[in-house]
Amino acid sequence: MEIGANTPAVVTGGASGLGEATARALASKGAKVAILDMNGDLGGPVAKDIGGTFAECNVTSDESVDAALAAAFAAHGAPRIVVNCAGVGTPGKTIGRDGPIDMKAYEFVLQVNLLGTMRVLSKAAWQMAAADPVTDDGNRGLIVNTASVAAFDGQIGQAAYSASKGGIVGMTLPIARDLARNGIRVCTIAPGIFGTPMLRGLPDEAQQSLAAQVPFPQRLGDPAEFAKLVVFMAETGYINGEVIRLDGAIRMGPK
């Protein structure tokens, strides 16, 4: 599927980090991007800069997602590319100094990362499935979800985060099979250590320590590289049901 002028796209978490890089990359190819994010102070200016639209969206709420996708549909039409980047990484050990893990915090990570991804995915797929195919083989569009290397190499304190990202990995193939009859492809990217705003806020020494763990290239990932993989997935029509690690060959240690 070629990303042409005015191709409708939706990016959750598009106000910063991986999502912003993806929104900018898709817009540079001509797509009309709707950024769905909680942060309007960041998301609004990004959307304006790329000629797209912004809708405030809480992925844990059906009503919020419905309203945001309706706004995106009204602005650009049925989505052809949907990228789920919204997520949180609240840490928590199974047992700590004060007792068992805080289950409310654990559930919140699952609500945002796993259930939020499914909520946006299924609702956007409903819109996508009602649109006409864009290729002769019946392709209607692509959905890309964001997992993490923590789905495979979860570290100490990442029980909730790893569970949420492992769930995204695990549902990729069955959802791709579910949506095959609708001509909708589903893929997942599992990024390693990327230079997102949150990580760039760490001291230089901490960033260098993290980068040193990457076999090659020995640096932090560039969000633009994540975005390039999204574009590749969109334009390569035979890739479907796949999870790709984007991590410089890192395998995370226990801590």
Side-chain angles (χ1 to χ4, degrees):
M1 180 181 71
E2 292 298 322
I3 305 174
N6 301 320
T7 298
V10 170
V11 180
T12 71
S16 62
L18 301 179
E20 179 185 354
T22 300
R24 291 187 181 280
L26 293 172
S28 73
K29 301 285 287 187
K32 288 297 183 182
V33 182
I35 291 175
L36 276 55
D37 202 289
M38 292 280 286
N39 193 329
D41 291 339
L42 293 178
V46 173
K48 183 177 180 180
D49 192 41
I50 64 175
T53 58
F54 172 81
E56 184 174 334
C57 182
N58 178 352
V59 299
T60 70
S61 163
D62 280 321
E63 293 77 14
S64 182
V65 172
D66 285 340
L69 287 176
F73 184 93
H76 306 309
R80 298 299 186 172
I81 301 169
V82 176
V83 187
N84 283 301
C85 290
V88 296
T90 310
K93 292 183 180 180
T94 307
I95 58 172
R97 294 176 181 175
D98 299 323
I101 194 168
D102 181 347
M103 286 305 299
K104 288 185 178 179
Y106 189 95
E107 290 171 4
F108 178 70
V109 174
L110 293 177
Q111 283 285 348
V112 176
N113 294 357
L114 180 58
L115 303 187
T117 292
M118 185 60 177
R119 180 173 284 108
V120 173
L121 183 160
S122 61
K123 292 177 182 293
W126 179 256
Q127 292 182 345
M128 198 181 291
D132 293 332
V134 294
T135 62
D136 292 340
D137 60 4
N139 190 345
R140 285 186 169 85
L142 167 72
I143 298 171
V144 179
N145 301 317
T146 304
S148 166
V149 295
F152 313 100
D153 313 327
Q155 296 185 295
I156 291 171
Q158 286 190 322
Y161 187 70
S162 294
S164 68
K165 296 302 187 178
I168 291 172
V169 169
M171 72 184 186
T172 300
L173 182 58
I175 293 175
R177 288 171 166 171
D178 282 348
L179 298 178
R181 66 177 185 174
N182 304 109
I184 299 172
R185 296 182 292 123
V186 180
C187 293
T188 293
I189 300 174
I193 304 172
F194 271 70
T196 59
M198 180 173 65
L199 195 145
R200 290 296 187 190
L202 296 175
D204 288 342
E205 182 179 347
Q207 294 186 44
Q208 292 169 9
S209 175
L210 289 169
Q213 299 178 39
V214 183
F216 187 81
Q218 202 166 75
R219 59 172 173 80
L220 302 178
D222 185 342
E225 294 172 306
F226 178 95
K228 287 179 182 178
L229 183 51
V230 171
V231 171
F232 172 80
M233 287 175 164
E235 295 184 337
T236 307
Y238 204 58
I239 187 169
N240 190 18
E242 186 59 73
V243 178
I244 297 179
R245 290 181 66 134
L246 187 64
D247 61 13
I250 196 171
R251 297 298 180 267
M252 303 295 288
K255 59 182 179 180

